[in-house]
Amino acid sequence: MPSSHEPRPGSTASLRSANTQRILQALRDPARDHETAYTQAELARLTGLAPATVSGIVRSLAETGLADTVPGSGRRGTEVRLARSAGLVVGLDFGRLHLSVALGDLAGRIVAEDRQPLGPDVDHSNGLALAHAKVAELLEQHGATLEDVRTVTIGLPAPVTAGQVRSSTILPGWLGVNARDATAAQFGTHAHAENDANLGALAEHRVGAARGHRTSAFVKISSGVGAGLIIDDRLFRGSDGTAGEMGHLTLDTQGPVCRCGSRGCLETYASIGTVVGLLAERMPGATFADVVEAAREGQVGPLRALEDAGLHLGWGLASVANLLNPTILVVGGEMARAGELLLSSVRIGLRRHSLDAVAATPVVTGELGDRASLVGAVLLAAERTELAVDLVA
Ligand SMILES: [Zn+2]
């Protein structure tokens, strides 16, 4: 909620408000674990504010219920952390066959989460009702209610423009639905809708494998292939949110017809369905996990299928590296479970088709596994929650 009386720019109140936001920002570092409190000296160092200023603002934050303070022992001084009563956020991650939900604090750190299988024919209203029920259950376990939830972010495996789901191939029950508005209505609070690969990119950048890298690309390979791009520490969404549709880079103009209607897209060479499909005759009924296990045992067919997917992915990543010059490329989604069986050929494909200057860009698997999009949903919800503080000047 915006403050009811914004201080005049340049006034003492406005300066104090800016300083308060700096302290709150320091307290809302998602990479810091819940339990480690800050000393006031540390907050002064992190914000560049005078110790007396910090201590005055911390006292006010404690009075308004946004911060908890604990008298420190010896030289540590008063310890400060973000209060749970400041509010919670919710992250939702809908996949083709799963639904994950999480509660997070306002730093974007997950405090409780759940993952459940979902039928492919669950439509958006039933899906949201299920998510709502699960969130209510997690809130109850934490002695909280829906009134404590400030913002909800929903992640979906589809391009999302201004909240609207733009493709139906993976989640047919969501086509044309404004996921942001539907989520806001279901939860009775602010909501954001975002593509799941974008959320994964954000999560790996803030708290995972791409932490500390200003420019990175995250490619999520599951039923489809999508990428999230971080440029200068910010998620790059393009003009209307559909940037990063890497699965539809053309690798062969005469290649197989893709679900998008084009031919020879990356996705037709490197997706879970393609790899499993290549081995359908040899390993009938096998899942991707079965393929990876067979490759680990040294079976030649599964090894070649993974290698070929990796080479094509590397080729696609070469274009990304040539265009964006990232300092790291992160591979996530279900296919990342193949680990080095996949990545070793990704690196060969990258080297072969990229400029010398970027050929050695590191390629790694994500640190957050199949939780990346969920972690990103919670982070985005926290980042989009403004804490308005009416402090007595
Ligand atoms: Zn395509």
Side-chain angles (χ1 to χ4, degrees):
M1 226 177 304
S3 170
S4 50
H5 36 275
E6 289 289 329
R8 212 162 24 84
S11 65
T12 314
S14 136
L15 183 64
R16 187 170 164 83
S17 165
N19 290 343
T20 303
Q21 289 302 337
R22 279 160 86 174
I23 290 180
L24 280 171
Q25 201 181 358
L27 292 175
R28 294 173 72 182
D29 176 0
R32 178 100 167 200
D33 78 67
H34 297 281
E35 305 312 323
T36 316
Y38 292 80
T39 62
Q40 296 201 46
E42 193 179 358
L43 284 174
R45 187 164 45 74
L46 287 168
T47 57
L49 298 172
T53 309
V54 171
S55 106
I57 290 172
V58 163
R59 204 174 322 117
S60 306
L61 287 174
E63 281 163 12
T64 54
L66 290 177
D68 285 334
T69 57
V70 185
S73 51
R75 296 181 55 198
R76 253 184 91 69
T78 301
E79 295 191 344
V80 192
R81 61 166 73 92
L82 199 62
R84 179 61 58 83
S85 58
L88 293 167
V89 296
V90 166
L92 311 176
D93 171 41
F94 279 87
R96 197 170 74 85
L97 295 171
H98 79 267
L99 161 63
S100 299
V101 307
L103 296 183
D105 66 12
L106 291 183
R109 299 171 295 211
I110 288 182
V111 297
E113 66 183 277
D114 178 80
R115 185 181 172 100
Q116 60 184 293
L118 204 62
D121 44 3
V122 175
D123 70 5
H124 74 279
S125 60
N126 287 325
L128 280 173
L130 272 173
H132 184 266
K134 185 45 88 176
V135 167
E137 204 179 302
L138 293 180
L139 284 164
E140 198 186 335
Q141 287 163 11
H142 279 75
T145 70
L146 272 172
E147 292 193 347
D148 298 309
V149 174
R150 305 283 305 271
T151 308
V152 181
T153 294
I154 174 171
L156 297 156
V160 178
T161 300
Q164 187 118 1
V165 179
R166 295 271 300 270
S167 159
S168 64
T169 43
I170 293 179
L171 285 181
W174 289 79
L175 177 64
V177 171
N178 192 306
R180 178 192 59 206
D181 295 351
T183 305
Q186 179 77 59
F187 285 84
T189 185
H190 295 290
H192 301 281
E194 185 57 87
N195 168 265
D196 62 349
N198 282 352
L199 293 174
L202 190 70
E204 293 289 355
H205 170 256
R206 297 281 198 271
V207 297
R211 209 179 149 209
H213 293 264
R214 288 178 59 82
T215 298
S216 62
F218 169 81
V219 53
K220 181 183 175 189
I221 313 164
S222 296
S223 312
V225 178
L229 310 171
I230 301 286
I231 299 176
D232 286 341
D233 286 328
R234 294 171 66 93
L235 180 64
F236 178 77
R237 307 184 73 259
S239 58
D240 61 5
T242 68
E245 284 295 328
M246 188 183 153
H248 304 287
L249 281 178
T250 306
L251 300 195
D252 180 356
T253 54
Q254 301 302 306
V257 175
C258 178
R259 65 187 167 102
C260 74
S262 184
R263 290 188 70 173
C265 295
L266 170 59
E267 201 171 286
T268 64
Y269 299 101
S271 72
I272 296 293
T274 309
V275 172
V276 170
L278 271 178
L279 296 160
E281 239 171 72
R282 213 186 135 99
M283 302 175 66
T287 63
F288 183 71
D290 298 331
V291 172
V292 173
E293 201 187 315
R296 289 225 162 92
E297 286 166 2
Q299 292 187 33
V300 179
L303 274 170
R304 295 234 161 104
L306 286 175
E307 240 172 58
D308 285 345
L311 285 170
H312 283 90
L313 179 59
W315 186 351
L317 284 173
S319 296
V320 174
N322 284 345
L323 276 175
L324 295 182
N325 184 205
T327 50
I328 194 164
L329 296 162
V330 182
V331 177
E334 197 181 344
M335 202 181 276
R337 290 184 187 183
E340 285 302 311
L341 288 174
L342 180 79
L343 293 198
S344 50
S345 51
V346 172
R347 293 186 193 107
I348 293 169
L350 170 68
R351 218 170 27 239
R352 176 132 176 206
H353 297 287
S354 59
L355 297 171
D356 270 359
V358 298
T361 309
V363 184
V364 301
T365 50
E367 283 177 11
L368 302 166
D370 56 12
R371 295 172 65 245
S373 300
L374 183 66
V375 171
V378 168
L379 282 166
L380 188 69
E383 285 180 13
R384 298 279 177 91
T385 305
E386 284 198 20
L387 282 179
V389 196
D390 286 325
L391 296 179
V392 182

Short mmCIF file of all heavy atoms in Angstrom, two decimals, residues 247-249 258-263 265-268, ligand 1:
data_model
loop_
_atom_site.label_atom_id
_atom_site.label_comp_id
_atom_site.label_asym_id
_atom_site.label_seq_id
_atom_site.Cartn_x
_atom_site.Cartn_y
_atom_site.Cartn_z
N GLY A 247 13.84 -21.89 -27.50
CA GLY A 247 13.46 -23.17 -28.09
C GLY A 247 13.12 -23.05 -29.57
O GLY A 247 13.11 -24.05 -30.29
N HIS A 248 12.85 -21.83 -30.03
CA HIS A 248 12.44 -21.67 -31.42
C HIS A 248 13.50 -20.98 -32.27
O HIS A 248 13.21 -20.42 -33.33
CB HIS A 248 11.07 -20.98 -31.47
CG HIS A 248 10.07 -21.76 -30.68
ND1 HIS A 248 9.56 -22.96 -31.12
CD2 HIS A 248 9.60 -21.57 -29.41
CE1 HIS A 248 8.77 -23.46 -30.17
NE2 HIS A 248 8.79 -22.64 -29.12
N LEU A 249 14.76 -21.04 -31.81
CA LEU A 249 15.88 -20.65 -32.68
C LEU A 249 15.93 -21.67 -33.82
O LEU A 249 15.86 -22.88 -33.57
CB LEU A 249 17.20 -20.74 -31.92
CG LEU A 249 17.58 -19.62 -30.96
CD1 LEU A 249 18.91 -19.95 -30.29
CD2 LEU A 249 17.68 -18.30 -31.71
N CYS A 258 8.03 -27.89 -36.13
CA CYS A 258 7.93 -27.66 -34.68
C CYS A 258 6.49 -27.37 -34.28
O CYS A 258 5.66 -27.01 -35.13
CB CYS A 258 8.82 -26.47 -34.34
SG CYS A 258 8.81 -25.99 -32.61
N ARG A 259 6.18 -27.48 -33.00
CA ARG A 259 4.82 -27.16 -32.55
C ARG A 259 4.47 -25.70 -32.83
O ARG A 259 3.30 -25.33 -32.89
CB ARG A 259 4.66 -27.48 -31.06
CG ARG A 259 5.51 -26.63 -30.14
CD ARG A 259 5.42 -27.11 -28.69
NE ARG A 259 6.43 -26.51 -27.86
CZ ARG A 259 6.22 -25.49 -27.00
NH1 ARG A 259 5.01 -24.99 -26.90
NH2 ARG A 259 7.19 -25.01 -26.29
N CYS A 260 5.49 -24.84 -33.03
CA CYS A 260 5.22 -23.43 -33.31
C CYS A 260 4.87 -23.22 -34.77
O CYS A 260 4.46 -22.14 -35.18
CB CYS A 260 6.41 -22.56 -32.92
SG CYS A 260 7.80 -22.71 -34.06
N GLY A 261 5.07 -24.26 -35.60
CA GLY A 261 4.75 -24.13 -37.02
C GLY A 261 5.98 -23.93 -37.89
O GLY A 261 5.94 -24.13 -39.10
N SER A 262 7.09 -23.54 -37.27
CA SER A 262 8.32 -23.36 -38.04
C SER A 262 9.01 -24.71 -38.22
O SER A 262 8.48 -25.75 -37.82
CB SER A 262 9.22 -22.36 -37.31
OG SER A 262 10.37 -22.11 -38.08
N ARG A 263 10.20 -24.71 -38.82
CA ARG A 263 10.92 -25.97 -39.02
C ARG A 263 12.29 -25.92 -38.38
O ARG A 263 12.96 -24.89 -38.39
CB ARG A 263 11.06 -26.27 -40.52
CG ARG A 263 9.74 -26.61 -41.16
CD ARG A 263 9.92 -27.09 -42.58
NE ARG A 263 10.57 -28.41 -42.66
CZ ARG A 263 10.71 -29.08 -43.79
NH1 ARG A 263 10.28 -28.60 -44.91
NH2 ARG A 263 11.31 -30.27 -43.78
N CYS A 265 13.41 -26.06 -35.34
CA CYS A 265 13.67 -25.29 -34.11
C CYS A 265 14.51 -26.13 -33.15
O CYS A 265 14.43 -27.36 -33.15
CB CYS A 265 12.37 -24.94 -33.40
SG CYS A 265 11.32 -23.83 -34.32
N LEU A 266 15.28 -25.44 -32.29
CA LEU A 266 16.08 -26.11 -31.27
C LEU A 266 15.27 -27.15 -30.50
O LEU A 266 15.72 -28.26 -30.22
CB LEU A 266 16.66 -25.06 -30.31
CG LEU A 266 17.34 -25.58 -29.04
CD1 LEU A 266 18.51 -26.50 -29.37
CD2 LEU A 266 17.82 -24.41 -28.18
N GLU A 267 14.03 -26.77 -30.17
CA GLU A 267 13.18 -27.65 -29.38
C GLU A 267 12.92 -29.00 -30.05
O GLU A 267 12.66 -30.00 -29.37
CB GLU A 267 11.84 -26.93 -29.14
CG GLU A 267 11.07 -27.46 -27.97
CD GLU A 267 9.88 -26.57 -27.66
OE1 GLU A 267 10.09 -25.47 -27.12
OE2 GLU A 267 8.75 -26.98 -27.95
N THR A 268 12.97 -29.04 -31.39
CA THR A 268 12.72 -30.32 -32.07
C THR A 268 13.95 -31.24 -31.98
O THR A 268 13.88 -32.40 -32.35
CB THR A 268 12.33 -30.12 -33.55
OG1 THR A 268 13.44 -29.54 -34.25
CG2 THR A 268 11.11 -29.24 -33.70
ZN ZN B 1 9.43 -23.81 -32.91
#
